[in-house]
Amino acid sequence: MSAEYATFGLAPAMRAGGVLANGDYQVHRDFLDFIVDGRPLLFRLSDLDAVSPLASDIPPAIFTDHVRSLLLEADAPLSDGRYVIYGCPECEGLECGAVTAVIERVDDNQDDYVWRDFAWQTDERVDLELNGYHGIGPFRFRGDEYRTALGGLLDGAASTRRRVLLIGARVAVLARLAAALRTIGIGADITQDATGVPPEELRGYGAVAFGRAVDEAQREAVRAEFDRAGADIAYVDGLAPIVPLLVAQIESALDRSPADRRRLTRLVAADGEAGLDVTSTCRVRLTAYRLDRLYRTHTHDVFDAVLDPGRHRISLDRKATKGESFLVARTTGSVLVAPMAH
């Protein structure tokens, strides 16, 4: 099979973490995705929950080893010249499954790189007939473009800011939120204001989350401190003292990728219905959080299905969305949150 030329690039991506409705935790991972012909390669793999080997939370030496491996400056880690393209976001075990491919230089032009024979692999050997991705690749990348994208990473490991500053009046809620964020891999600090914090420390945060009790004067003072520090920050206005909901809001704020590189780009919720925009085929889960008149939290899984690209309207259980309620839409790499309008 001949390989057509394709463009190659890298772009920041994330596997969204979260506190799920059943109480389980899903780890947050920041990584660099492979951009082939202007589109994330991961999106071609339907609803696969995986990350590339170029993750920002691995030690620099291991990160460098992965880069040199993709540049063919080291032996292939698997038999038959196969390399891991995407692996399990929770561990590095091949037994969990990984997307692998053969990476090689082509015979007629040793300056080009080819990725071919993509497959789902759970053991040392792979059966291409049974587990091959027959509709993906082969891709032929021009050597200078390929080496420029990957070689630039050797000058310094990719880093993504994953610390969050929490500001609010309800200390118990902030403590539970900070614990939940740390559990899924996001650093969190609690404070009442940002006055006097060194600028270099402020620039280490990716987001600031305000509780509902923080007034506008306090918020403006915090924003002024971050502006003086020259920090590019995302601000989150907490919708309700519900930890899984706040975690989802923060995850959404930390996703700074362009809309065309997200699976989920729009969520609106009104009168017991949800409106969604999906860019690639993926599994979408909707969870409703509701506060009753005694401020007790009620959680409902209201939708879970694979959706095709396009705009969707979904009817929801009225009991799950009455009163003060909120909706979280989650895919493998995107999270959106919306209050339910009535």
Side-chain angles (χ1 to χ4, degrees):
M1 182 185 298
S2 63
E4 298 292 335
Y5 272 112
T7 61
F8 181 86
L10 299 167
M14 77 174 191
R15 187 267 193 150
V19 181
L20 306 183
N22 62 3
D24 290 343
Y25 289 88
Q26 182 169 288
V27 175
H28 176 106
R29 299 293 303 280
D30 292 304
F31 64 99
L32 291 173
D33 199 4
F34 307 109
I35 307 300
V36 178
D37 283 338
R39 186 167 180 254
L41 180 59
L42 188 58
F43 285 15
R44 300 174 188 253
L45 302 171
S46 189
D47 193 48
L48 183 67
D49 184 13
V51 300
S52 83
L54 305 178
S56 66
D57 56 352
I58 60 176
I62 297 176
F63 185 95
T64 298
D65 286 345
H66 285 312
V67 173
R68 295 195 181 281
S69 180
L70 293 171
L71 287 168
L72 302 184
E73 296 177 1
D75 292 336
L78 302 172
S79 59
D80 302 322
R82 301 192 71 82
Y83 295 78
V84 173
I85 306 300
Y86 296 106
C88 174
E90 303 284 347
C91 70
E92 295 186 8
L94 187 62
E95 62 275 7
C96 290
V99 176
T100 67
V102 175
I103 302 179
E104 62 185 4
R105 298 285 186 89
V106 290
D107 293 336
D108 61 334
N109 186 345
Q110 287 294 310
D111 195 49
D112 291 345
Y113 294 77
V114 169
W115 289 16
R116 62 173 175 84
D117 296 339
F118 287 82
W120 179 252
Q121 189 165 350
T122 57
D123 207 342
E124 183 62 25
R125 297 287 178 177
V126 64
D127 185 335
L128 288 177
E129 287 299 319
L130 183 63
N131 295 314
Y133 287 100
H134 302 293
I136 298 179
F139 302 114
R140 180 170 177 164
F141 305 117
R142 289 181 171 81
D144 55 351
E145 182 180 57
Y146 186 88
R147 286 190 298 272
T148 297
L150 287 168
L153 301 177
L154 298 176
D155 297 330
S159 62
T160 303
R161 290 173 296 152
R162 294 189 298 134
R163 296 194 66 78
V164 179
L165 189 63
L166 309 178
I167 300 176
R170 301 182 64 172
V171 177
V173 173
L174 295 179
R176 293 199 303 272
L177 176 57
L181 289 169
R182 292 166 188 155
T183 298
I184 67 173
I186 298 175
D189 300 312
I190 300 172
T191 187
Q192 291 301 310
D193 62 64
T195 304
V197 179
E200 60 272 16
E201 186 173 338
L202 293 179
R203 289 192 290 269
Y205 290 101
V208 174
F210 297 111
R212 295 202 293 188
V214 179
D215 62 34
E216 188 56 34
Q218 289 177 282
R219 295 170 193 240
E220 283 300 322
V222 170
R223 293 189 187 102
E225 290 295 325
F226 277 93
D227 287 344
R228 277 192 286 271
D232 179 19
I233 204 80
Y235 295 101
V236 177
D237 295 324
L239 290 172
I242 302 171
V243 169
L245 176 69
L246 295 172
V247 169
Q249 282 191 265
I250 290 168
E251 283 282 7
S252 181
L254 290 174
D255 186 358
R256 312 298 285 275
S257 60
D260 62 352
R261 292 180 182 169
R262 303 184 192 186
R263 293 186 187 272
L264 188 63
T265 59
R266 172 180 168 268
L267 170 66
V268 294
D271 297 326
E273 284 191 343
L276 296 163
D277 284 0
V278 177
T279 63
S280 65
T281 300
C282 60
R283 178 187 177 191
V284 177
R285 290 170 289 167
L286 298 179
T287 304
Y289 297 93
R290 181 173 66 85
L291 288 174
D292 64 19
R293 282 179 288 184
L294 298 178
Y295 283 90
R296 294 173 299 192
T297 301
H298 301 267
T299 305
H300 303 271
D301 288 321
V302 292
F303 181 80
D304 188 344
V306 175
L307 296 179
D308 293 327
R311 180 159 291 186
H312 302 268
R313 289 182 61 182
I314 300 168
S315 296
L316 307 174
D317 183 350
R318 295 279 180 167
K319 293 181 180 179
T321 59
K322 67 180 181 180
E324 188 178 13
S325 58
F326 313 89
L327 196 63
V328 173
R330 181 181 297 277
T331 69
T332 53
S334 302
V335 177
L336 291 179
V337 181
M340 179 62 67
H342 296 280

